[in-house]
Amino acid sequence: MKQNVYVAQDKISGRGYRIIFADNDGTLCRDNVQQDLRSEKNPIGLPFKDLAYVHIAVYDTDAFTFENVSAREVDILRSYEFKVEKDVQKEDLDKPLPKVEE
């Protein structure tokens, strides 16, 4: 079986901060966006425009080998049809998040 290998990247710093294995772009986004994006439940996450998932390799789970591929940024919004409980309004995007106590 083969799995895609992705890196979660902070576009502002240009650094990858996590390697992720997923079957395809859709499952990558479905399973990881909530933990990487800033929200009320995850105030230390990245703003949406700062997050990128980059496909960097394919891993063969039978042969234990990696095949490098040309780096390709995943289009998060086209890869998975996210279901939202309410429509997001511009006011919601501009509203400051609560401070996190350390």
Side-chain angles (χ1 to χ4, degrees):
M1 178 178 180
K2 294 189 177 184
Q3 284 194 307
N4 291 330
V5 183
Y6 302 88
V7 63
Q9 181 186 41
D10 178 344
K11 288 183 181 181
I12 302 304
S13 71
R15 291 184 148 185
Y17 62 90
R18 190 162 63 88
I19 301 293
I20 307 162
F21 292 83
D23 292 330
N24 55 51
D25 294 355
T27 58
L28 164 80
C29 294
R30 179 196 66 202
D31 298 342
N32 292 277
V33 164
Q34 289 183 347
Q35 72 184 40
D36 291 322
L37 287 184
R38 182 175 297 162
S39 67
E40 285 184 20
K41 292 180 182 177
N42 182 21
I44 61 170
L46 293 174
F48 182 80
K49 65 183 177 182
D50 295 352
L51 173 67
Y53 292 123
V54 182
H55 181 216
I56 58 169
V58 175
Y59 175 62
D60 186 325
T61 61
D62 297 322
F64 304 109
T65 58
F66 288 90
E67 174 190 338
N68 291 332
V69 297
S70 297
R72 169 185 63 83
E73 185 174 334
V74 173
D75 185 334
I76 295 172
L77 293 176
R78 288 194 172 155
S79 296
Y80 184 74
E81 187 177 328
F82 292 94
K83 307 284 190 253
V84 292
E85 293 178 8
K86 66 173 190 149
D87 290 334
V88 176
Q89 303 295 320
K90 177 152 178 39
E91 305 87 62
D92 296 334
L93 299 174
D94 294 334
K95 195 180 340 178
L97 294 171
K99 291 186 178 185
V100 177
E101 294 183 28
E102 295 182 15

